[in-house]
Amino acid sequence: MGLNDSSPGAMRNGRGLSDQWADSVVVRPRTTERHITVHKRLVLGFALSIVTLIIVTAVAVVLSIRFEDCGDRRGAPGEAGPRGSGRSNGSRGDRTGDRGDEESVQPWRNPRLPGSLRPRHYDLRISVYMDNFTFSGEVSVELECLNATRFIVLHADRLEVDRVSVTAEGAGGRPANRPGGGVMRIHRLFPFPANQMYVVALHREMKPMRVYRLNMSFDAAIEDELLGFFRSAYSLHRERRFLAVTQFSPIHARKAFPCFDEPIYKATFSLTLRHDPQYISLSNMPVEASSLSDEDGWVTNRFARTPRMSTYYLAWAVCNFTYRETQTDSGVTIRLYARPDAISSGAGDYALHITKRLLGFYEDYFKVQYSLPKLDLLAVPKHPYAAMENWGLSVFVEQKILLDAEVSSSSYQMELTMVVVHEICHQEKQRFLTDVLHEVMLLDGLSSSHPISQEVERATDIDRVFDWIAYKKGAALIRMLANVMGQPLFQKGLNDYLLSHMYSNAARDDLWSKLSQAMHSEGRDINIGEMMDRWTLQMGYPVVTISKNQSEQRPTHYITINQKHFLYGEEARKNLSLQWQIPLTVAVGNQSSVCVEHLIWINNRTETHRIGQMDDDTWLLGNINQTGYFRVNYDLQNWKLLIQQLHSNPQIISVGNRAGLIDDSFNLARAGYLPQGVPLQLIGYLPEETSFLPWHSASRALYQLDKLLDRTDEYRLFSDYVLKQVASRYHQMGWPSNGPGTEGNILQASYQTEELQRELIMLACSFGNKQCHRQAVAYISDWISSNKNRIPPNIRDIVYCTGVSLMDEDVWEFIWMKFHSTNAVSEKKILLEALTCSDNTFLLNRLLNLSLSSDLVPEQDVIDVIIHVGRNPQGRNLAWKYFREKWDILNARYGEALFMNSKLISGVTEFLNTEKELYELKEFIQSSGVGAGPALPRALEIVEGNVRWHRLHRRQFYQWLRKPPSLG
């Protein structure tokens, strides 16, 4: 499942958590947050959405949540009531009445389903009424009885249940024609809204090893929200059109039909959709039969039976989209469905061809064939996540899958597709450091973090555990484990795991067991479960401090290693004492060479190890290529040697480690483990840095500092220091060309080179380089005067934002007009973001008010508008005030979609850093904090950390900048 931004640590211009490996960069009003060119963002974001289908489902879910096998869980004796039916959203409440011995057990009061019954197959028929946004349905569920029970307890939420019947079908599903078979007499029907359940109480027990059939009919609304079966709208030729689509993960299938809505209850599904013929319908499987009614002319589509799967993977959509298609070498048909104008313009071609290549690649990599006959990609105007990997029908928000042909030429898109898809495995390994590892460590370094494996009992808790810590930390730990095992051995164990648990449930121990077996097959006696439990059952991660043994004469052969729980809050560190089993790789080097790395297992708080001869000029380097999920600190002398190495010959240290040293040093300093000057002195080597990744790591850290400092009196000291590091490389790289005859040159530029050029332009414009400002203004002026947009697509967001912030109100109005006139989804998004860059508070207020009170800003983008206004120093107070005033409206609209709510809360609060703002946040939480999940406590911890940094470290930080020491 692609997720939206839930990170409180999204930073200026760095990769944030707003979209899967995509934009959550935070910038000064001189630029925007989008960080990579649109076509490459689609490669990374879209490719990893496809990976999610295969990996996250199989691995991250196993790591992040554990569902116990359900037994016959018995509740405490309680009330029993008369037979009845009702809408299960609580409008009629729980029907209670006389108590009776036969109802002394009330399994519906347990937050988990009782486990006495197991669904085997659902036959589901849905009629969709798009004229009044309602639907009606009938579901017939084949049930296997595991333990004798009189109660059928299943999930239903916001459904008006009309008729219910139960029949006994005998053993193996055969009709029961003996005494006691046939129709089961129903004693009572009632909803239990507290647990989103519906209860069918029978007069006599269902018997184990027998099969029964539950039939229910129901009605419900197609809601104007983002979960269950919901509606969305778009405009075509000035006509407003509607579509309806499902989002069931993790617990929202119950909003569309009565079902056993827990992942353990896998079943097959046969779906039939009936609707007006002006629409088409899609589902996980191909249409098996289609017919037109003689009475009303409506279409009835019956879809093929699905494989055995959980309810949250079931999906359907009713829309009037069109499509384009392709086919893989193995015969899988891939279609991309979108708005007719988007399809006709070729906006979906890019993603369609990428999908074809990626599906083939992952089939080969995992040795598992895609087992459905088709894969549909559906681009919808609004969705709670960036994407959802429903089996056979993956749903994407438009911005993540559509690319308008006007943004870049078709030939360039296709050339880029072929090149990047081929190289994704190699380049993604590096981007993983900044976009996954560094990102999640910001969150996991907070005391409000949580283990990635958690017991879940209540439905309301499921959304809370599926956050970026679960997803990205899970991926980082798998990467660390694969490095320890070696890629071939890891792949062997993983493939065995995937094949063994296909179509079935699995727990994390199943994965560890298969990986341990793979290790043992090669004679390596490592207990993977014992090692990984420390990482999955404990929150956070360690900081490993490496130093030469000071008690020995020089030269020495020994190092001392210490591990502590890394936390940003100094007070929090006093209360937590956790330990990990750490696979630490260490190398030693000097000005001219690096020796072979050593793998050292750290099991205790402090250990001493022999690694080789070292003298006073030898430096130590830990966590080679940052394959481990921990930070590394050194004694100050070793930091000095590493900094000297970077300044004199940085290439001795690998690109990944250069990026890692930058990220570790800034975060160690922020948390108080290092003096503030160490990371500042370290990045003094950047004018010599030619690789994108260290620059990207540095820009993330610098924007993180920028949000702390941009309202301080001495801010100019900081911005000047940044520009000093950027200037030479920025002028050397220049700006991309976009004139006639330059396409070939653009194609020849490497992906990393283009990314570095963009990063440098972003930094230069953000921190006030005059030449960068002049170039941006010239581009905007040319666009306005000629009405031809000659701004290179790779930097349009930077230019738009810089121009809006520097130029007058007419430019804002021009961008506003272009926002409404363009049909290109990606262009529309960056134009809207540019409007938030203005220094004019009147315009920012106007935009905020329009976003929530009119149709001029798409509902999907309202949260981004508020967040981006808050990231603008001129709009920070406006956004914070607006957020508090409109909280009830915002929470009502987005509250149930916790990822979106968390994104909003963290995005608005992460830049607060004064005592006054901290007080206001505490006051707001006290009055309005109910229902926001972990986002508000996390926001409070971050703002407290911001205030603490000012109190403890700002003075030392500026002292260093006023008089930087020499390297000698």
Side-chain angles (χ1 to χ4, degrees), residues 768-916:
N769 180 284
K770 299 302 181 185
Q771 192 278 335
C772 192
H773 286 179
R774 286 193 297 270
Q775 182 66 58
V777 168
Y779 267 126
I780 294 290
S781 299
D782 174 70
W783 185 17
I784 294 173
S785 63
S786 67
N787 202 30
K788 292 182 179 179
N789 191 342
R790 289 186 269 257
I791 305 170
N794 197 29
I795 56 168
R796 282 187 179 181
D797 54 339
I798 307 172
V799 172
Y800 293 173
C801 186
T802 305
V804 167
S805 69
L806 294 174
M807 303 170 78
D808 59 23
E809 185 175 341
D810 289 343
V811 173
W812 194 94
E813 296 290 353
F814 175 80
I815 297 294
W816 176 251
M817 177 192 69
K818 291 296 183 182
F819 165 70
H820 287 290
S821 63
T822 184
N823 291 319
V825 174
S826 55
E827 183 78 353
K828 209 173 187 70
K829 183 174 176 61
I830 62 174
L831 287 166
L832 182 60
E833 290 171 359
L835 293 168
T836 69
C837 299
S838 175
D839 284 350
N840 187 321
T841 55
F842 171 79
L843 294 175
L844 295 175
N845 251 328
R846 174 185 168 191
L847 185 61
L848 285 171
N849 290 321
L850 286 173
S851 68
L852 203 56
S853 61
S854 74
D855 294 331
L856 296 176
V857 175
E859 183 181 346
Q860 185 82 10
D861 297 322
V862 171
I863 286 178
D864 286 333
V865 168
I866 300 172
I867 291 173
H868 282 278
V869 171
R871 289 173 178 173
N872 179 343
Q874 305 304 317
R876 192 162 304 162
N877 291 334
L878 298 177
W880 174 224
K881 182 173 182 287
Y882 187 82
F883 167 80
R884 287 174 290 162
E885 290 176 349
K886 304 297 183 182
W887 169 249
D888 289 341
I889 298 174
L890 293 165
N891 195 40
R893 181 180 294 187
Y894 304 110
E896 194 171 3
L898 282 184
F899 272 109
M900 298 190 75
N901 216 25
S902 296
K903 173 185 176 180
L904 174 62
I905 292 168
S906 62
V908 170
T909 60
E910 65 177 331
F911 293 91
L912 307 179
N913 55 46
T914 67
E915 293 282 0
K916 176 178 178 291

Side-chain angles (χ1 to χ4, degrees), residues 84-112:
S85 66
R87 189 174 177 88
S88 60
N89 64 356
S91 58
R92 301 185 185 180
D94 182 18
R95 309 299 183 90
T96 59
D98 297 334
R99 291 180 179 175
D101 291 341
E102 74 280 5
E103 293 192 8
S104 61
V105 175
Q106 297 187 336
W108 53 88
R109 294 191 179 277
N110 193 304
R112 295 286 301 281

Side-chain angles (χ1 to χ4, degrees), residues 174-300:
R174 296 187 300 273
N177 52 16
R178 57 184 176 78
V183 176
M184 303 284 288
R185 186 181 172 194
I186 295 175
H187 169 61
R188 182 181 169 215
L189 303 169
F190 61 93
F192 190 70
N195 288 331
Q196 301 176 345
M197 292 177 181
Y198 194 88
V199 181
V200 180
L202 303 172
H203 271 279
R204 59 186 175 87
E205 283 190 334
M206 294 178 285
K207 304 299 182 184
M209 307 298 293
R210 297 282 300 279
V211 175
Y212 298 83
R213 185 168 296 278
L214 168 67
N215 303 294
M216 303 178 74
S217 62
F218 54 93
D219 301 283
I222 303 174
E223 302 283 1
D224 185 20
E225 54 183 45
L226 299 171
L227 299 169
F229 187 28
F230 67 93
R231 68 182 186 264
S232 183
Y234 65 96
S235 295
L236 183 66
H237 309 310
R238 298 186 178 180
E239 175 190 354
R240 189 166 172 82
R241 295 189 175 189
F242 293 91
L243 65 142
V245 65
T246 59
Q247 170 56 41
F248 290 163
S249 177
I251 54 165
H252 303 293
R254 63 192 69 178
K255 290 182 171 64
F257 66 104
C259 57
F260 294 75
D261 200 15
E262 293 179 8
I264 197 173
Y265 294 107
K266 288 179 167 59
T268 54
F269 297 82
S270 294
L271 174 67
T272 300
L273 291 176
R274 181 176 178 273
H275 52 80
D276 188 294
Q278 68 175 296
Y279 297 94
I280 64 169
S281 53
L282 305 170
S283 187
N284 307 77
M285 301 297 289
V287 173
E288 191 174 61
S290 183
S291 62
L292 285 174
S293 168
D294 292 334
E295 296 180 2
D296 56 15
W298 274 37
V299 174
T300 299

Side-chain angles (χ1 to χ4, degrees), residues 683 686-687 695 702 719-732 759-765 767 769:
I683 63 168
L686 283 175
W695 273 106
L702 292 170
S719 62
D720 285 349
Y721 185 75
V722 174
L723 290 176
K724 178 182 177 182
Q725 314 312 317
V726 172
S728 63
R729 189 62 57 186
Y730 161 72
H731 288 296
Q732 181 184 16
E759 193 82 55
L760 292 165
I761 294 171
M762 183 91 75
L763 284 164
C765 279
F767 286 95
N769 180 284

Side-chain angles (χ1 to χ4, degrees), residues 330-525:
S330 59
V332 178
T333 299
I334 304 172
R335 289 179 174 178
L336 188 143
Y337 288 84
R339 294 177 283 108
D341 55 335
I343 291 296
S344 62
S345 71
D349 294 355
Y350 182 76
L352 190 63
H353 285 83
I354 283 181
T355 304
K356 177 181 177 179
R357 294 293 299 270
L358 286 176
L359 200 58
F361 169 79
Y362 288 115
E363 283 181 335
D364 179 67
Y365 181 83
F366 288 105
K367 310 303 179 188
V368 176
Q369 292 298 304
Y370 182 77
S371 55
L372 299 185
K374 60 95 174 177
L375 172 59
D376 292 335
L377 313 174
L378 179 64
V380 297
K382 68 176 184 179
H383 197 266
Y385 308 108
M388 176 61 205
E389 67 283 1
N390 307 304
W391 209 359
L393 177 59
S394 292
V395 182
F396 296 79
V397 69
E398 286 183 334
Q399 291 94 331
K400 299 302 164 194
I401 196 170
L402 298 182
L403 174 64
D404 195 272
E406 294 180 0
V407 174
S408 57
S409 70
S410 176
S411 60
Y412 180 50
Q413 294 170 39
M414 290 312 304
E415 176 71 14
L416 193 70
T417 299
M418 297 307 123
V419 172
V420 177
V421 168
H422 178 72
E423 294 183 352
I424 253 181
C425 298
H426 306 289
Q427 296 182 358
E428 200 63 57
K429 288 189 292 187
Q430 292 192 350
R431 287 304 287 260
F432 187 95
L433 296 183
T434 53
D435 298 353
V436 179
L437 182 65
H438 296 172
E439 194 72 73
V440 72
M441 292 178 90
L442 287 170
L443 291 177
D444 207 20
L446 300 171
S447 61
S448 55
S449 182
H450 59 78
I452 61 172
S453 285
Q454 299 182 80
E455 298 289 344
V456 173
E457 286 294 332
R458 303 196 66 86
T460 52
D461 293 332
I462 296 176
D463 266 320
R464 304 178 196 277
V465 302
F466 277 105
D467 61 5
W468 279 126
I469 291 174
Y471 274 80
K472 291 193 173 183
K473 183 176 180 178
L477 293 181
I478 290 297
R479 175 175 174 265
M480 177 175 72
L481 182 55
N483 185 71
V484 169
M485 295 179 64
Q487 190 63 41
L489 203 56
F490 173 78
Q491 189 172 339
K492 175 183 176 183
L494 180 59
N495 290 343
D496 190 15
Y497 165 81
L498 293 173
L499 292 171
S500 298
H501 297 282
M502 191 179 294
Y503 306 118
S504 64
N505 295 291
R508 62 177 181 272
D509 287 342
D510 297 317
L511 176 61
W512 306 151
S513 176
K514 291 297 183 183
L515 295 176
S516 292
Q517 290 174 24
M519 294 287 280
H520 295 158
S521 70
E522 297 293 325
R524 298 173 62 184
D525 188 19

Side-chain angles (χ1 to χ4, degrees), residues 125 127 134 153 157 200 319 343 426 456 460 515 519 572 579 608 614 626 729 751 791 808 849 924 954:
R125 298 177 61 87
S127 295
T134 63
V153 183
D157 184 23
V200 180
C319 58
I343 291 296
H426 306 289
V456 173
T460 52
L515 295 176
M519 294 287 280
Q579 286 183 239
T608 300
M614 298 170 288
Q626 287 210 292
R729 189 62 57 186
Y751 173 80
I791 305 170
D808 59 23
N849 290 321
F924 172 74
R954 185 175 77 183

